[in-house]
């Protein structure tokens, strides 16, 4: 019998420049997701929450369009498991491109290309991972892309490891 410790995600030394990481989770956007984020961020554009007004929009075919802030946050979140689960800091996000509209009911997926790696000059327990991430809808349309750099812990650092509590009643058998 083996015990598999509670370790999630990759560490700095696990990345390879040029590798593509297809993130395993997808997420269907609900009307509540779109409305809540729009209201929480005080975005007053009615195209995100007013179906009557959105019916006049020739770009969306009269449909309510998902708040682009939600699209960014969701695709970034989908990439975390593979690209920044063990990050200690987000460093940069650039070149955001919204290339296809996203609507309530769309399911988004994400994939990332590792573009650069380097050891941190100031933090010996971490390295910098750079990537390009893109979000695809279920039909394969690229809806969003962006570049991102994160500081990711090394396995040797122990960060993100050893947090699971030891059971007072002993190991499972």
């Amino acid at each position: 019998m083996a015990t598999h410790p509670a370790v999630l995600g990759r560490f700095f030394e696990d990345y390879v420049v040029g590798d593509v990481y297809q993130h395993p989770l997808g997420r269907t956007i609900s009307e509540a997701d779109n409305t809540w984020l729009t209201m929480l961020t005080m975005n007053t554009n009615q195209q995100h929450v007013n179906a009557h007004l959105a019916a006049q929009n020739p770009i969306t075919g009269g449909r309510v369009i998902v708040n682009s802030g939600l699209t960014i946050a969701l695709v970034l979140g989908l990439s975390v498991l593979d690209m920044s689960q063990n990050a200690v800091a987000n460093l940069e996000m650039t070149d955001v491109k919204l290339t296809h509209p996203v609507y309530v009911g769309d399911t988004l997926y994400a994939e990332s290309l590792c573009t650069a790696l380097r050891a941190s000059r100031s933090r010996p327990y971490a390295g910098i991972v750079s990537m390009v991430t893109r979000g695809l809808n279920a039909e394969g349309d690229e809806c969003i892309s962006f570049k991102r750099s994160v500081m990711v812990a090394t396995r040797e650092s122990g960060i993100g490891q050893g947090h699971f509590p030891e059971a007072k009643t002993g190991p499972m058998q």
Side-chain angles (χ1 to χ4, degrees):
M1 176 178 81
T3 299
H4 300 273
V7 176
L8 194 57
R10 291 180 171 80
F11 294 92
F12 177 69
E13 55 270 32
D14 298 329
Y15 294 95
V16 176
V17 171
D19 280 4
V20 173
Y21 301 85
Q22 292 181 330
H23 312 305
L25 304 177
R27 175 70 154 71
T28 302
I29 299 173
S30 72
E31 184 175 3
D33 296 332
N34 187 48
T35 300
W36 286 355
L37 184 100
T38 299
M39 295 295 102
L40 282 170
T41 58
M42 302 197 49
N43 184 329
T44 59
N45 188 322
Q46 293 286 291
Q47 297 293 331
H48 303 306
V49 295
N50 183 334
H52 179 255
L53 183 126
Q56 302 169 21
N57 187 335
I59 301 293
T60 66
R63 299 166 68 187
V64 170
I65 193 163
V66 168
N67 184 318
S68 57
L70 176 56
T71 303
I72 293 167
L74 178 56
V75 171
L76 175 71
L78 291 171
S79 75
V80 166
L81 182 64
D82 291 312
M83 304 310 290
S84 58
Q85 184 70 47
N86 291 309
V88 294
N90 276 308
L91 303 176
E92 181 177 51
M93 186 176 190
T94 65
D95 301 326
V96 177
K97 295 178 185 172
L98 301 162
T99 52
H100 191 276
V102 177
Y103 301 105
V104 169
D106 283 355
T107 301
L108 296 183
Y109 296 88
E111 62 183 353
S112 298
L113 167 68
C114 180
T115 58
L117 297 169
R118 72 169 178 81
S120 171
R121 291 186 279 275
S122 60
R123 311 270 196 260
Y125 53 81
I128 311 303
V129 179
S130 296
M131 67 205 75
V132 175
T133 298
R134 69 178 179 176
L136 306 172
N137 66 19
E139 291 75 38
D141 297 308
E142 184 175 312
C143 301
I144 183 174
S145 64
F146 52 85
K147 294 179 181 177
R148 183 163 76 113
S149 293
V150 295
M151 182 179 290
V152 177
T154 62
R155 185 171 279 102
E156 184 180 277
S157 73
I159 295 170
Q161 305 166 66
H163 61 276
F164 196 87
E166 187 174 322
K168 292 179 180 175
T169 56
M172 292 186 76
Q173 297 182 20

